Amino acid sequence: MIVLWRVSNHCNLACPFCAYDKRLGLAREEADPAQVARLIDLLGALGSETGRPVLLSWLGGEPLLWAPRTELDERAAGQGIGLSLTTNGTSLGAPRVRAELVQRYREVTISIDGMADFHDSMRGWRGAFDKLAQSVPALTAERDAAGTGLKVRVNVVLMRDNIAGFATLCRTLAGWGVDEISFNQLGGRDRPEFYPAHRLRSDDVAQLAAEVPRLRVELGQTGTALVGGAAYMERFADTVAGRSLPISDCRVAETFLFIDEAGRIAPCSFAPEHFGISVDDLRSPADLQALPRQLRSHQRAQPARDCADCPSTQQFAKFEPP
């Protein structure tokens, strides 16, 4: 089971495509540490009872800025729960942070969108790429020296502005010792004012579809996996063509749960307010085991608005090779 918890919408960067851009005047919220601790205990009990592995993944905002994380990491690790997070990389220059990730985490995903000129301007972080060119190889080298199983992944948001440089970026990341590269297309829900002028076009997707198989083989020879299955590439083509993909029976919750800052649970990050289920409603491991059936039943009876054209990458094999 993978549990992805958006623990904070605070961020220290200014990305024009992101809902948590630090320049935006939205209400900033964080998860309740006591609520998180209680779910960790339930997940630990579930793992002990069933033998089912659990991966708890922190999302933001920027989760490395979330102060309760270290204490909660310790609690989770003590119960055999795997840890993961997605970061913008601003904290990776600190040896203490890298050491913590190497020793305690199973996966770290770093958001990098292009080579220096593009990435620095898009993230509003001067010198960002050059800093990451030091800190990411340091992380992979320290991981290798320690002999731990940390997977270092980079995720790339693709738009018409950076699609031409994707292969160059991937080769650069492979040289940094990155284990896996994933990607997603720019979406329009977070910042609809940014989306129209930057979204992928049909020619961009055709170029990507032709490039990915060759690039995957090339990167694989260096030990770096480029993921994204055939269904995932088809989803890109459907999006640019304006073809909706309704999901009437969502099975994502059988292996994946999303929780937002308020503790609301859903099969994806697009509908936590729709299902009306909170972490506070869970009292036992049995309640956790019943969640997939409960969520599917609700979704079949009363689909969320986004189910009419599902935007969830978990639904379309983002992390699977072809």
Side-chain angles (χ1 to χ4, degrees), residues 149-171:
L150 174 67
K151 175 188 284 188
V152 178
R153 176 191 296 117
V154 167
N155 187 70
V156 184
V157 177
L158 290 175
M159 56 192 87
R160 70 182 64 168
D161 315 72
N162 65 351
I163 191 85
F166 181 57
T168 299
L169 175 63
C170 288
R171 295 182 183 109

Side-chain angles (χ1 to χ4, degrees), residues 21-232:
D21 181 336
K22 69 178 183 180
R23 298 168 296 184
L24 299 177
L26 70 153
R28 302 291 175 169
E29 301 175 300
E30 293 188 342
D32 176 4
Q35 189 181 59
V36 177
R38 198 170 62 77
L39 184 66
I40 285 172
D41 292 345
L42 286 178
L43 291 170
L46 177 67
S48 297
E49 288 183 12
T50 65
R52 186 180 182 186
V54 177
L55 181 69
L56 180 57
S57 186
W58 309 129
L59 183 66
E62 175 47 49
L64 286 175
L65 299 177
W66 187 50
R69 181 189 56 83
T70 300
E71 182 178 341
L72 291 165
D73 283 354
E74 185 175 353
R75 190 184 193 106
Q79 300 193 48
I81 297 170
L83 289 167
S84 167
L85 62 76
T86 298
T87 177
N88 60 30
T90 51
S91 298
L92 295 181
R96 176 190 57 80
V97 171
R98 295 197 304 271
E100 185 180 356
L101 297 175
V102 166
Q103 294 300 324
R104 186 161 279 171
Y105 275 68
R106 188 178 300 172
E107 296 181 359
V108 172
T109 300
I110 306 159
S111 299
I112 303 176
D113 298 320
M115 300 298 287
D117 288 349
F118 181 79
H119 184 74
D120 292 10
S121 62
M122 191 56 57
R123 295 279 167 169
W125 176 18
R126 182 175 298 178
F129 192 84
D130 288 343
K131 292 182 175 84
L132 292 167
Q134 298 297 316
S135 60
V136 176
L139 178 64
T140 59
E142 289 159 12
R143 180 270 316 274
D144 293 344
T148 66
L150 174 67
K151 175 188 284 188
V152 178
R153 176 191 296 117
V154 167
N155 187 70
V156 184
V157 177
L158 290 175
M159 56 192 87
R160 70 182 64 168
D161 315 72
N162 65 351
I163 191 85
F166 181 57
T168 299
L169 175 63
C170 288
R171 295 182 183 109
T172 301
L173 297 173
W176 293 358
V178 166
D179 301 293
E180 187 172 285
I181 300 169
S182 60
F183 55 91
N184 44 276
Q185 60 180 321
L186 177 71
R189 288 167 172 79
D190 283 356
R191 302 291 293 275
E193 76 281 8
F194 182 84
Y195 180 67
H198 302 274
R199 61 174 297 182
L200 293 178
R201 300 158 295 192
S202 57
D203 289 350
D204 300 321
V205 173
Q207 172 193 327
L208 183 67
E211 185 175 58
V212 161
R214 298 190 298 267
L215 187 58
R216 181 175 283 124
V217 171
E218 177 187 339
L219 296 173
Q221 293 171 348
T222 71
T224 298
L226 177 61
V227 296
Y232 194 56

Side-chain angles (χ1 to χ4, degrees), residues 216 228-236 316-317 320-322:
R216 181 175 283 124
Y232 194 56
M233 295 304 304
E234 290 172 9
R235 183 61 175 119
F236 280 40
F316 301 100
E320 295 179 13

